[in-house]
Amino acid sequence: MELRAFTLADAAVIRPWISGPTELLTWAGPGFTWPLDEPQLAAYAGEPACRTWTGVGPDGRLVGHASLRLDADGVAARLGRVLVAPGARGQGYGAALLTRVLTFAFAELGLERVELGVFAHNGSAVRLYERLGFRVGQVLPDVERVDGQSWSALQMSLAKADWSPGVG
Ligand SMILES: CC(C)(COP(=O)(O)OP(=O)(O)OC[C@H]1O[C@@H](n2cnc3c(N)ncnc32)[C@H](O)[C@@H]1OP(=O)(O)O)[C@@H](O)C(=O)NCCC(=O)NCCS
């Protein structure tokens, strides 16, 4: 898997990977509204503090997306919008994608810490982050209510000292 900068042409490819409003909320939190359209993706990708990437599989197909929102102090960033194409999940692409993003964050940007938020019931995402070394800090109960269910969010964090690029 290779990482390259996300382009607006990629937006047309990743949009169908999100199949409905619940999947949109699970993926991105409340920052986007359904239906996801290209102007929303363009505005997000154009934010000055945001670095966005597309993951390209060995056969040249687009398989993933992720971004980092850099803090103003240059010490930390928030990892977000982590997404693997539905047909490509469970094959290690998520781990490969994030290994490259985290190597960029710690080795190239020199950050001390990467943080993220994930819904507590999103097991495959939570396990992926834990395998990479992220640990749960705060638990935020009842941040969303979906179909009568209460959703909690986990705030997770990975310090540079705990990052090992061989993991994942
Ligand atoms: C979360 C997400 C990014 C994970 O991506 P992925 O490519 O499936 O991740 P991986 O393949 O690295 O790991 C997923 C599972 O596949 C397993 N796996 C990894 N490599 C494998 C392989 N070669 N063969 C079989 N299984 C494998 C992992 O052990 C893991 O299992 P688990 O979920 O039971 O722990 C993906 O499911 C997704 O896009 N979800 C929707 C959006 C979302 O929820 N994003 C996170 C928002 S915080």
Side-chain angles (χ1 to χ4, degrees), residues 21-22 25 144-151:
T22 304
L25 183 63
E144 297 287 343
R145 193 156 281 272
V146 179
D147 297 332
Q149 302 282 321
S150 163
W151 287 17

mmCIF file with all atom_site columns, all heavy atoms in Angstrom, residues 21-22 25 144-151:
data_model
loop_
_atom_site.group_PDB
_atom_site.id
_atom_site.type_symbol
_atom_site.label_atom_id
_atom_site.label_alt_id
_atom_site.label_comp_id
_atom_site.label_asym_id
_atom_site.label_entity_id
_atom_site.label_seq_id
_atom_site.pdbx_PDB_ins_code
_atom_site.Cartn_x
_atom_site.Cartn_y
_atom_site.Cartn_z
_atom_site.occupancy
_atom_site.B_iso_or_equiv
_atom_site.pdbx_formal_charge
_atom_site.auth_seq_id
_atom_site.auth_comp_id
_atom_site.auth_asym_id
_atom_site.auth_atom_id
_atom_site.pdbx_PDB_model_num
ATOM 1  N N   . PRO A 1 21  ? -26.362 7.205  6.455  1.00 0.00 ? 21  PRO A N   1
ATOM 2  C CA  . PRO A 1 21  ? -26.072 8.184  7.509  1.00 0.00 ? 21  PRO A CA  1
ATOM 3  C C   . PRO A 1 21  ? -25.402 7.589  8.747  1.00 0.00 ? 21  PRO A C   1
ATOM 4  O O   . PRO A 1 21  ? -24.562 8.234  9.381  1.00 0.00 ? 21  PRO A O   1
ATOM 5  C CB  . PRO A 1 21  ? -27.446 8.775  7.841  1.00 0.00 ? 21  PRO A CB  1
ATOM 6  C CG  . PRO A 1 21  ? -28.456 7.898  7.200  1.00 0.00 ? 21  PRO A CG  1
ATOM 7  C CD  . PRO A 1 21  ? -27.789 7.151  6.091  1.00 0.00 ? 21  PRO A CD  1
ATOM 8  N N   . THR A 1 22  ? -25.760 6.338  9.097  1.00 0.00 ? 22  THR A N   1
ATOM 9  C CA  . THR A 1 22  ? -25.135 5.730  10.280 1.00 0.00 ? 22  THR A CA  1
ATOM 10 C C   . THR A 1 22  ? -23.659 5.434  10.008 1.00 0.00 ? 22  THR A C   1
ATOM 11 O O   . THR A 1 22  ? -22.797 5.672  10.868 1.00 0.00 ? 22  THR A O   1
ATOM 12 C CB  . THR A 1 22  ? -25.890 4.437  10.673 1.00 0.00 ? 22  THR A CB  1
ATOM 13 O OG1 . THR A 1 22  ? -27.258 4.776  10.859 1.00 0.00 ? 22  THR A OG1 1
ATOM 14 C CG2 . THR A 1 22  ? -25.335 3.834  11.940 1.00 0.00 ? 22  THR A CG2 1
ATOM 15 N N   . LEU A 1 25  ? -21.755 8.740  10.177 1.00 0.00 ? 25  LEU A N   1
ATOM 16 C CA  . LEU A 1 25  ? -21.494 9.160  11.557 1.00 0.00 ? 25  LEU A CA  1
ATOM 17 C C   . LEU A 1 25  ? -20.398 8.293  12.183 1.00 0.00 ? 25  LEU A C   1
ATOM 18 O O   . LEU A 1 25  ? -19.505 8.795  12.878 1.00 0.00 ? 25  LEU A O   1
ATOM 19 C CB  . LEU A 1 25  ? -22.791 9.056  12.369 1.00 0.00 ? 25  LEU A CB  1
ATOM 20 C CG  . LEU A 1 25  ? -22.741 9.527  13.814 1.00 0.00 ? 25  LEU A CG  1
ATOM 21 C CD1 . LEU A 1 25  ? -22.417 11.018 13.896 1.00 0.00 ? 25  LEU A CD1 1
ATOM 22 C CD2 . LEU A 1 25  ? -24.074 9.238  14.524 1.00 0.00 ? 25  LEU A CD2 1
ATOM 23 N N   . GLU A 1 144 ? -23.874 10.507 21.173 1.00 0.00 ? 144 GLU A N   1
ATOM 24 C CA  . GLU A 1 144 ? -24.839 10.492 20.061 1.00 0.00 ? 144 GLU A CA  1
ATOM 25 C C   . GLU A 1 144 ? -25.949 9.529  20.434 1.00 0.00 ? 144 GLU A C   1
ATOM 26 O O   . GLU A 1 144 ? -25.742 8.580  21.213 1.00 0.00 ? 144 GLU A O   1
ATOM 27 C CB  . GLU A 1 144 ? -24.196 9.980  18.750 1.00 0.00 ? 144 GLU A CB  1
ATOM 28 C CG  . GLU A 1 144 ? -23.073 10.821 18.213 1.00 0.00 ? 144 GLU A CG  1
ATOM 29 C CD  . GLU A 1 144 ? -23.539 12.131 17.593 1.00 0.00 ? 144 GLU A CD  1
ATOM 30 O OE1 . GLU A 1 144 ? -24.750 12.272 17.277 1.00 0.00 ? 144 GLU A OE1 1
ATOM 31 O OE2 . GLU A 1 144 ? -22.685 13.022 17.439 1.00 0.00 ? 144 GLU A OE2 1
ATOM 32 N N   . ARG A 1 145 ? -27.126 9.780  19.844 1.00 0.00 ? 145 ARG A N   1
ATOM 33 C CA  . ARG A 1 145 ? -28.244 8.845  20.023 1.00 0.00 ? 145 ARG A CA  1
ATOM 34 C C   . ARG A 1 145 ? -28.723 8.453  18.632 1.00 0.00 ? 145 ARG A C   1
ATOM 35 O O   . ARG A 1 145 ? -29.086 9.303  17.833 1.00 0.00 ? 145 ARG A O   1
ATOM 36 C CB  . ARG A 1 145 ? -29.354 9.516  20.848 1.00 0.00 ? 145 ARG A CB  1
ATOM 37 C CG  . ARG A 1 145 ? -30.392 8.540  21.337 1.00 0.00 ? 145 ARG A CG  1
ATOM 38 C CD  . ARG A 1 145 ? -31.089 9.076  22.575 1.00 0.00 ? 145 ARG A CD  1
ATOM 39 N NE  . ARG A 1 145 ? -30.281 8.889  23.783 1.00 0.00 ? 145 ARG A NE  1
ATOM 40 C CZ  . ARG A 1 145 ? -30.303 7.807  24.537 1.00 0.00 ? 145 ARG A CZ  1
ATOM 41 N NH1 . ARG A 1 145 ? -31.084 6.795  24.236 1.00 0.00 ? 145 ARG A NH1 1
ATOM 42 N NH2 . ARG A 1 145 ? -29.555 7.718  25.609 1.00 0.00 ? 145 ARG A NH2 1
ATOM 43 N N   . VAL A 1 146 ? -28.623 7.162  18.316 1.00 0.00 ? 146 VAL A N   1
ATOM 44 C CA  . VAL A 1 146 ? -28.909 6.678  16.960 1.00 0.00 ? 146 VAL A CA  1
ATOM 45 C C   . VAL A 1 146 ? -29.902 5.518  17.070 1.00 0.00 ? 146 VAL A C   1
ATOM 46 O O   . VAL A 1 146 ? -29.612 4.508  17.732 1.00 0.00 ? 146 VAL A O   1
ATOM 47 C CB  . VAL A 1 146 ? -27.622 6.203  16.256 1.00 0.00 ? 146 VAL A CB  1
ATOM 48 C CG1 . VAL A 1 146 ? -27.925 5.674  14.856 1.00 0.00 ? 146 VAL A CG1 1
ATOM 49 C CG2 . VAL A 1 146 ? -26.586 7.325  16.199 1.00 0.00 ? 146 VAL A CG2 1
ATOM 50 N N   . ASP A 1 147 ? -31.060 5.664  16.427 1.00 0.00 ? 147 ASP A N   1
ATOM 51 C CA  . ASP A 1 147 ? -32.088 4.622  16.452 1.00 0.00 ? 147 ASP A CA  1
ATOM 52 C C   . ASP A 1 147 ? -32.381 4.180  17.892 1.00 0.00 ? 147 ASP A C   1
ATOM 53 O O   . ASP A 1 147 ? -32.458 2.979  18.183 1.00 0.00 ? 147 ASP A O   1
ATOM 54 C CB  . ASP A 1 147 ? -31.652 3.402  15.614 1.00 0.00 ? 147 ASP A CB  1
ATOM 55 C CG  . ASP A 1 147 ? -31.490 3.766  14.145 1.00 0.00 ? 147 ASP A CG  1
ATOM 56 O OD1 . ASP A 1 147 ? -32.179 4.713  13.699 1.00 0.00 ? 147 ASP A OD1 1
ATOM 57 O OD2 . ASP A 1 147 ? -30.676 3.122  13.461 1.00 0.00 ? 147 ASP A OD2 1
ATOM 58 N N   . GLY A 1 148 ? -32.461 5.128  18.796 1.00 0.00 ? 148 GLY A N   1
ATOM 59 C CA  . GLY A 1 148 ? -32.786 4.827  20.189 1.00 0.00 ? 148 GLY A CA  1
ATOM 60 C C   . GLY A 1 148 ? -31.622 4.283  21.000 1.00 0.00 ? 148 GLY A C   1
ATOM 61 O O   . GLY A 1 148 ? -31.780 4.004  22.188 1.00 0.00 ? 148 GLY A O   1
ATOM 62 N N   . GLN A 1 149 ? -30.457 4.133  20.374 1.00 0.00 ? 149 GLN A N   1
ATOM 63 C CA  . GLN A 1 149 ? -29.281 3.618  21.091 1.00 0.00 ? 149 GLN A CA  1
ATOM 64 C C   . GLN A 1 149 ? -28.356 4.783  21.457 1.00 0.00 ? 149 GLN A C   1
ATOM 65 O O   . GLN A 1 149 ? -28.154 5.693  20.645 1.00 0.00 ? 149 GLN A O   1
ATOM 66 C CB  . GLN A 1 149 ? -28.475 2.659  20.193 1.00 0.00 ? 149 GLN A CB  1
ATOM 67 C CG  . GLN A 1 149 ? -29.250 1.470  19.666 1.00 0.00 ? 149 GLN A CG  1
ATOM 68 C CD  . GLN A 1 149 ? -29.402 0.391  20.718 1.00 0.00 ? 149 GLN A CD  1
ATOM 69 O OE1 . GLN A 1 149 ? -28.474 0.138  21.478 1.00 0.00 ? 149 GLN A OE1 1
ATOM 70 N NE2 . GLN A 1 149 ? -30.568 -0.218 20.779 1.00 0.00 ? 149 GLN A NE2 1
ATOM 71 N N   . SER A 1 150 ? -27.781 4.691  22.627 1.00 0.00 ? 150 SER A N   1
ATOM 72 C CA  . SER A 1 150 ? -26.807 5.686  23.065 1.00 0.00 ? 150 SER A CA  1
ATOM 73 C C   . SER A 1 150 ? -25.408 5.264  22.608 1.00 0.00 ? 150 SER A C   1
ATOM 74 O O   . SER A 1 150 ? -25.002 4.121  22.818 1.00 0.00 ? 150 SER A O   1
ATOM 75 C CB  . SER A 1 150 ? -26.860 5.775  24.589 1.00 0.00 ? 150 SER A CB  1
ATOM 76 O OG  . SER A 1 150 ? -25.706 6.400  25.072 1.00 0.00 ? 150 SER A OG  1
ATOM 77 N N   . TRP A 1 151 ? -24.695 6.160  21.957 1.00 0.00 ? 151 TRP A N   1
ATOM 78 C CA  . TRP A 1 151 ? -23.326 5.883  21.516 1.00 0.00 ? 151 TRP A CA  1
ATOM 79 C C   . TRP A 1 151 ? -22.343 6.619  22.433 1.00 0.00 ? 151 TRP A C   1
ATOM 80 O O   . TRP A 1 151 ? -22.496 7.813  22.690 1.00 0.00 ? 151 TRP A O   1
ATOM 81 C CB  . TRP A 1 151 ? -23.097 6.364  20.091 1.00 0.00 ? 151 TRP A CB  1
ATOM 82 C CG  . TRP A 1 151 ? -23.744 5.539  19.013 1.00 0.00 ? 151 TRP A CG  1
ATOM 83 C CD1 . TRP A 1 151 ? -24.748 4.620  19.165 1.00 0.00 ? 151 TRP A CD1 1
ATOM 84 C CD2 . TRP A 1 151 ? -23.439 5.583  17.615 1.00 0.00 ? 151 TRP A CD2 1
ATOM 85 N NE1 . TRP A 1 151 ? -25.072 4.084  17.945 1.00 0.00 ? 151 TRP A NE1 1
ATOM 86 C CE2 . TRP A 1 151 ? -24.291 4.651  16.969 1.00 0.00 ? 151 TRP A CE2 1
ATOM 87 C CE3 . TRP A 1 151 ? -22.547 6.311  16.834 1.00 0.00 ? 151 TRP A CE3 1
ATOM 88 C CZ2 . TRP A 1 151 ? -24.266 4.440  15.592 1.00 0.00 ? 151 TRP A CZ2 1
ATOM 89 C CZ3 . TRP A 1 151 ? -22.520 6.100  15.461 1.00 0.00 ? 151 TRP A CZ3 1
ATOM 90 C CH2 . TRP A 1 151 ? -23.366 5.167  14.853 1.00 0.00 ? 151 TRP A CH2 1
#
